[in-house]
Amino acid sequence: MILPVVAALTACQAGKQPLPAPDTFAPSCGQDRFRGLVGQDAAILREVDLPSATRVVKPDMALTQDYRPGRLNISIDADGIIDRVWCA
């Protein structure tokens, strides 16, 4: 009884094209405008007009693994210094 269901599902998948890998997407979060923040104290983020889709990442913070090329990520190290800016 399970075999016909598996065969039907396999047939449905045969014609679909796979989605491109996340690394083939072009980042569109504007990360280049914010590269100058790297090395600065995180307190400066209060003064910067960040895009609405910005995620500030702190040490040991849990993150979702979904890829959003329009989301700006800013990583802060344990000393409160911005150490990375990237799209994802």
Side-chain angles (χ1 to χ4, degrees):
M1 183 161 173
I2 293 176
L3 189 58
V5 173
V6 172
L9 290 174
T10 303
C12 291
Q13 295 294 325
K16 290 187 177 183
Q17 294 292 331
L19 295 174
D23 61 343
T24 61
F25 291 113
S28 61
C29 71
Q31 66 187 12
D32 294 337
R33 293 185 300 149
F34 300 100
R35 293 254 184 236
L37 295 173
V38 174
Q40 296 192 42
D41 191 285
I44 195 152
L45 294 176
R46 294 185 199 116
E47 303 169 17
V48 178
D49 187 23
L50 297 171
S52 60
T54 299
R55 177 168 61 176
V56 177
V57 181
K58 298 176 182 174
D60 300 320
M61 184 174 156
L63 299 176
T64 60
Q65 295 298 313
D66 60 319
Y67 183 77
R68 296 184 187 184
R71 178 173 53 203
L72 177 67
N73 293 277
I74 300 174
S75 175
I76 300 172
D77 67 14
D79 296 323
I81 304 298
I82 299 169
D83 63 355
R84 185 175 175 210
V85 175
W86 77 101
C87 297

